[in-house]
Amino acid sequence: ALDVFASPCGTALTRSPRESNYVCVSPSDNTNKGGSVVAATMVDGVEMVGLGIPFEEWTLGRRIRTVGRTVTEAEITNFVCITGMLEVLFTNIDYLEKESLIKGRLAPGALVLSFAEGLLMQSVMQHTGLAFLGMEMKVVKPTFAGDTIHVQCEVTEARPTSKPGRGIVTTQ
């Protein structure tokens, strides 16, 4: 289980081990007089929940895993149509069954990456990530309709920037 903290920084990773960087920011209202991060953000006297992990909690070697999410055939169809990825691997089931080496309703790697980003956003980056700085991605096996994905990553670097309350987190 992940601890929920109110301020600063999140990170991201794809389904397979990759490197991703985010610049993170600490809102000034999330610190006490001693300058340390407090455990909750209050809005109109009510604790706000669902916020990301603060930069200070992204320590070298920390490992996380998100909840799972099942990829559906409808999501594949919608993603392919919206993005214009009208490749027969994604649009022609007859081709997949009779001619393709890959059998089954295939999901584009970009869809899986988008879902991975969403899983991280709703679990560890909400209100904390400032900018995505880059990544390396290698698709190691196909994802099909009905597959359940999750994101698992480990912090390989966490360093503060020159601006107070900000840092860069690298994961794999």
Side-chain angles (χ1 to χ4, degrees), residues 160-164 166:
T161 63
S162 60
K163 295 185 180 180
R166 293 185 185 188

Side-chain angles (χ1 to χ4, degrees), residues 21-49:
N21 296 318
Y22 277 85
V23 173
C24 308
V25 62
S26 299
S28 59
D29 62 344
N30 283 343
T31 58
N32 61 24
K33 290 182 181 179
S36 62
V37 176
V38 295
T41 295
M42 303 300 282
V43 177
D44 296 327
V46 178
E47 181 181 354
M48 183 183 292
V49 296

Side-chain angles (χ1 to χ4, degrees), residues 96-170:
L96 288 172
E97 291 172 354
K98 296 177 182 171
E99 299 179 48
S100 175
L101 296 175
I102 300 172
K103 306 297 181 196
R105 189 70 163 105
L106 188 63
L111 170 67
V112 177
L113 173 61
S114 297
F115 282 178
E117 182 80 3
L119 287 169
L120 286 163
M121 184 62 64
Q122 58 192 277
S123 61
V124 298
M125 295 180 356
Q126 194 67 263
H127 238 228
T128 63
L130 179 62
F132 178 71
L133 299 177
M135 65 176 276
E136 287 182 28
M137 181 175 140
K138 180 179 174 187
V139 178
V140 295
K141 66 180 188 174
T143 302
F144 297 96
D147 286 352
T148 298
I149 65 167
H150 67 273
V151 179
Q152 184 172 313
C153 59
E154 180 177 345
V155 176
T156 58
E157 182 182 13
R159 61 181 172 83
T161 63
S162 60
K163 295 185 180 180
R166 293 185 185 188
I168 297 176
V169 176
T170 303

